[in-house]
Amino acid sequence: MADTKPSNPNPKTLPKVLLLEPPPIYLHYESQFSLHFNFLKHYNSPLSLPEFLAEVNANDVSAILATTLGPPITASTVLDHLPSLRCIVTSSIGVDFIDLDECRRRNITVANAADVFSADCADSAVALLIDVCRKVSNGDRFVRSGNWSVSADFPLGHQLGRLNIGIVGLGSIGSRVAKRLAAFNCSISYTSRKQKPSVPYSFYPDVYELAENSNVLVLCCPLTDETRHMISKEVLLALGKGVIINVSRGSVVDEKELVRFLLEDHIAGVGLDVFENEPSVPKELFALDNVVLSPHIAASTDEAFHDLYEHVKANLQAFFSNKPLHSPIV
Amino acid sequence: MADTKPSNPNPKTLPKVLLLEPPPIYLHYESQFSLHFNFLKHYNSPLSLPEFLAEVNANDVSAILATTLGPPITASTVLDHLPSLRCIVTSSIGVDFIDLDECRRRNITVANAADVFSADCADSAVALLIDVCRKVSNGDRFVRSGNWSVSADFPLGHQLGRLNIGIVGLGSIGSRVAKRLAAFNCSISYTSRKQKPSVPYSFYPDVYELAENSNVLVLCCPLTDETRHMISKEVLLALGKGVIINVSRGSVVDEKELVRFLLEDHIAGVGLDVFENEPSVPKELFALDNVVLSPHIAASTDEAFHDLYEHVKANLQAFFSNKPLHSPIV
């Protein structure tokens, strides 16, 4: 999809989109977005939302571009002030910050980032896993420190193809992780809300059983009330001296317990792209060589970022053209 | 294969194997190896090889366990002193330290490590590639330094699936790299001595054409007179702002040119497991964030190391039982 609009259209002729907080994709592609939509930027204003809408004469706004970085979108915080709202487009996969039941009641459609990030997220999960097993970052530190010239004694890693991988959540990301790791000859199992009839991997009905039968848990599930702190002390005990890879959300893991298991050497290693209180990371982890830390970039590449811009734009354009959204949340 | 021999056999009753220099696999599994063979350890002796052989009464030795860490095996250095030699078993894939023509003339069979290391090597090549493209080690440094809490500004990486991968040497390792990267949706091309009729990847007859048509070169070829400094200034220019991954041998690359290209920002990044003067690494690389350095561990895991022990033992046992070797060099 190319930007075929004339440059510098009159913003007043463009469809209005409310921005409570700007998502990174908006800031990155602001000039391109502005060719297509008239963004009302509440985040630049000291006024309350109703005051702001009155001032910009936009009580009729029908669409929001929303982000996990903004406020929760509930009846009282946002929806009650926007009687004409019909569509919320997010730039994230997760929509846990939106009261979906309330949106459904009010006939507001919600669209997310769909699988724009799935390949990158899966690639990152595999990258973190190989890094932990084969000590890539650790080896890089070893060479850069100059220690290799002093001592050839770097510890051996473990072969990927001998691992039983347990994938938690076999959705858009998890199934791509499975496909990639199968090419490394790993054995793949999974747990998810329902068994998938068409996949060749072993299914376990809960995460305990999966952990008991796996050397590695790869967390690819969304954060929900059910998955919060799902990786508990009990699951870690069931896993034994295995590996945890997390590219979902920090709060899926009981981080305090995970740190304790690491410090007491009850777990072989972890690769974490997400944390409970980002960007704050438990400092105890910084000294550990069996840990790989990543600043929540699993989903982020230049290419996916551009795809996301096109996807968000296409969802908003579809809405304003009375066409079905590309990735509605069912 | 289990070790079924009785413990502590009399070494004098065991077949003699000459060790010029001990390979790591021997040092690691010395007690197990010693159940099966009587090792004559020239490396422990100040004597010349003929003097040593005379002293231990072993002019009739018929087998050597050899390593790249030992002396070159040529007519004058070794072969002339061992008229009864019939077999050389190495613990490496590479046999460039052995004069194969001379061995052939003397009817001495040479066996290498076969594909014991191939899966690990391929895994490492992929690990280095994802690390360079997705900035894994770099991100780990960023988080450990505490900078994430200060600034969320970590640069985006590049999506693996958009890359054209050029594999140099589609043998046991290269074909496994291709299989793995195909699962990431990469486009795969290769060059090798001959086009392989049965593979689905594009063939280029030389490394220049491959470089011109690739974003990444993954070096998986053996070091020979033909491949020494194959990755020259001209090939780097043909590649343009791409990535080099090397899990073969350091001298396949003109390291001085590579460092210059990196310092002058003419290449996007490199992942190196091998170097021209190991364990010495050009210090200019230590400050670069688009470089991933690995202490020649691509082939090394606990599991492959054990497989190698079994493989070396099986080759020697086959020789002493007058059976065909498991991995003769043709």
Side-chain angles (χ1 to χ4, degrees):
Chain A
M1 275 173 284
D3 283 323
T4 52
K5 289 258 174 162
S7 52
N8 301 321
N10 180 353
K12 296 202 172 147
T13 65
L14 297 176
K16 288 176 200 158
V17 177
L18 180 63
L19 271 174
L20 300 166
E21 192 68 35
I25 191 71
Y26 173 78
L27 296 176
H28 200 83
Y29 287 96
E30 184 164 3
S31 59
Q32 291 93 319
F33 269 123
S34 301
L35 298 175
H36 304 277
F37 312 101
N38 175 16
F39 286 96
L40 311 171
K41 305 175 186 175
H42 181 222
Y43 61 93
N44 275 342
S45 164
L47 301 174
S48 71
L49 183 57
E51 290 168 345
F52 170 77
L53 293 168
E55 195 192 63
V56 298
N57 189 21
N59 288 303
D60 60 341
V61 68
S62 59
I64 294 180
L65 171 53
T67 162
T68 50
L69 302 174
I73 297 185
T74 64
S76 62
T77 58
V78 176
L79 306 178
D80 284 349
H81 309 302
L82 295 166
S84 303
L85 189 68
R86 285 293 158 268
C87 170
I88 301 173
V89 171
T90 76
S91 57
S92 57
I93 308 176
V95 290
D96 45 85
F97 65 107
I98 301 175
D99 185 338
L100 293 178
D101 288 337
E102 196 56 39
C103 287
R104 210 170 291 122
R105 248 190 305 279
R106 293 169 188 240
N107 205 20
I108 297 167
T109 323
V110 178
N112 73 351
D115 61 358
V116 165
F117 299 126
S118 301
D120 284 334
C121 245
D123 292 355
S124 280
V126 175
L128 291 172
L129 175 60
I130 314 188
D131 194 325
V132 171
C133 293
R134 299 297 308 278
K135 305 177 194 291
V136 182
S137 297
N138 190 1
D140 183 78
R141 274 196 301 279
F142 179 73
V143 176
R144 280 175 200 255
S145 70
N147 282 338
W148 192 22
S149 310
V150 182
S151 147
D153 207 16
F154 187 76
L156 293 178
H158 290 285
Q159 190 164 85
L160 238 69
R162 311 274 170 118
L163 296 174
N164 294 317
I165 308 286
I167 298 180
V168 179
L170 198 74
S172 168
I173 297 167
S175 56
R176 284 172 170 85
V177 171
K179 177 190 165 197
R180 283 153 177 72
L181 289 179
F184 290 82
N185 293 334
C186 298
S187 302
I188 315 279
S189 308
Y190 73 103
T191 188
S192 62
R193 274 164 299 186
K194 284 186 211 161
Q195 183 165 5
K196 321 250 166 180
S198 60
V199 304
Y201 317 120
S202 316
F203 172 75
Y204 290 97
D206 67 58
V207 70
Y208 296 93
E209 268 193 67
L210 184 71
E212 271 175 355
N213 290 283
S214 300
N215 308 114
V216 177
L217 290 182
V218 184
L219 313 180
C220 306
C221 55
L223 177 62
T224 63
D225 288 344
E226 287 76 44
T227 63
R228 188 176 303 276
H229 281 204
M230 173 203 266
I231 306 302
S232 59
K233 182 182 164 186
E234 289 70 33
V235 173
L236 292 171
L237 284 171
L239 178 65
K241 267 232 147 178
V243 170
I244 298 271
I245 302 298
N246 191 4
V247 293
S248 67
R249 284 288 180 268
S251 298
V252 170
V253 176
D254 185 337
E255 194 170 276
K256 231 166 145 180
E257 279 298 335
L258 183 70
V259 170
R260 197 170 66 77
F261 268 68
L262 277 163
L263 292 176
E264 297 179 357
D265 205 25
H266 294 321
I267 186 169
V270 301
L272 304 174
D273 184 55
V274 287
F275 304 88
E276 282 211 73
N277 301 299
E278 291 169 18
S280 168
V281 175
K283 300 222 171 350
E284 303 94 311
L285 301 182
F286 293 179
L288 301 180
D289 275 336
N290 56 341
V291 166
V292 182
L293 303 168
S294 169
H296 202 150
I297 53 169
S300 308
T301 63
D302 255 346
E303 293 79 9
F305 220 59
H306 186 260
D307 289 350
L308 177 63
Y309 159 67
E310 295 287 0
H311 177 82
V312 165
K313 185 181 74 174
N315 262 324
L316 287 169
Q317 286 178 326
F319 169 70
F320 288 116
S321 318
N322 290 316
K323 289 184 185 150
L325 300 194
H326 295 267
S327 52
I329 300 288
V330 185
Chain B
M1 276 172 282
D3 282 324
T4 51
K5 287 259 176 163
S7 51
N8 302 319
N10 179 354
K12 296 200 170 148
T13 65
L14 297 176
K16 287 176 200 158
V17 177
L18 179 63
L19 272 174
L20 300 166
E21 191 67 34
I25 192 70
Y26 174 77
L27 297 175
H28 200 80
Y29 287 96
E30 182 164 3
S31 59
Q32 290 94 318
F33 268 123
S34 302
L35 298 176
H36 303 277
F37 311 102
N38 175 17
F39 286 98
L40 310 172
K41 305 174 185 175
H42 181 224
Y43 60 95
N44 275 341
S45 164
L47 301 175
S48 72
L49 183 57
E51 289 167 345
F52 171 76
L53 292 169
E55 193 191 62
V56 298
N57 190 22
N59 288 302
D60 61 341
V61 70
S62 59
I64 294 180
L65 172 53
T67 163
T68 50
L69 303 174
I73 296 184
T74 64
S76 62
T77 58
V78 175
L79 306 179
D80 284 349
H81 309 302
L82 296 167
S84 304
L85 189 68
R86 286 293 159 269
C87 171
I88 300 173
V89 172
T90 76
S91 58
S92 58
I93 307 176
V95 290
D96 46 83
F97 65 108
I98 300 174
D99 185 336
L100 293 178
D101 288 336
E102 196 56 40
C103 287
R104 210 171 291 122
R105 246 190 307 279
R106 293 167 188 240
N107 204 20
I108 296 167
T109 324
V110 178
N112 73 351
D115 60 0
V116 165
F117 299 125
S118 301
D120 284 333
C121 244
D123 292 354
S124 280
V126 175
L128 290 172
L129 175 59
I130 314 186
D131 194 326
V132 171
C133 294
R134 299 297 307 279
K135 305 178 195 287
V136 182
S137 297
N138 191 0
D140 184 77
R141 274 197 299 280
F142 179 72
V143 176
R144 281 177 199 255
S145 70
N147 281 339
W148 193 21
S149 310
V150 181
S151 147
D153 207 18
F154 187 78
L156 293 178
H158 290 284
Q159 191 163 88
L160 238 69
R162 312 272 170 120
L163 296 175
N164 294 317
I165 309 286
I167 297 180
V168 180
L170 199 73
S172 168
I173 297 167
S175 56
R176 285 171 169 84
V177 171
K179 177 191 165 198
R180 283 152 178 72
L181 289 178
F184 290 82
N185 294 333
C186 298
S187 303
I188 315 280
S189 307
Y190 73 103
T191 187
S192 62
R193 273 164 299 184
K194 285 186 209 161
Q195 183 165 4
K196 319 249 166 179
S198 61
V199 304
Y201 318 119
S202 317
F203 172 75
Y204 290 98
D206 67 59
V207 70
Y208 297 93
E209 269 195 65
L210 185 70
E212 269 174 357
N213 290 282
S214 301
N215 308 114
V216 178
L217 289 182
V218 184
L219 313 181
C220 306
C221 55
L223 176 63
T224 64
D225 287 344
E226 287 75 44
T227 64
R228 189 177 303 276
H229 281 204
M230 172 203 266
I231 306 302
S232 60
K233 182 182 164 187
E234 289 69 32
V235 173
L236 292 171
L237 283 171
L239 178 64
K241 266 229 147 180
V243 171
I244 298 271
I245 302 297
N246 192 3
V247 293
S248 66
R249 285 288 181 270
S251 298
V252 170
V253 177
D254 184 337
E255 195 170 273
K256 229 167 149 178
E257 279 299 335
L258 184 69
V259 170
R260 197 170 67 78
F261 268 67
L262 278 162
L263 293 176
E264 295 178 0
D265 206 24
H266 291 146
I267 185 169
V270 299
L272 304 174
D273 184 55
V274 287
F275 304 88
E276 282 211 74
N277 301 300
E278 292 171 17
S280 169
V281 175
K283 300 224 170 348
E284 303 95 309
L285 302 181
F286 294 178
L288 302 180
D289 276 335
N290 56 342
V291 166
V292 182
L293 304 169
S294 170
H296 202 150
I297 53 170
S300 308
T301 62
D302 256 346
E303 293 78 9
F305 220 58
H306 185 260
D307 289 351
L308 178 62
Y309 160 67
E310 294 287 359
H311 178 81
V312 165
K313 186 180 73 172
N315 262 323
L316 288 170
Q317 285 178 327
F319 168 69
F320 288 115
S321 318
N322 291 315
K323 289 182 185 151
L325 300 194
H326 295 268
S327 52
I329 299 290
V330 186

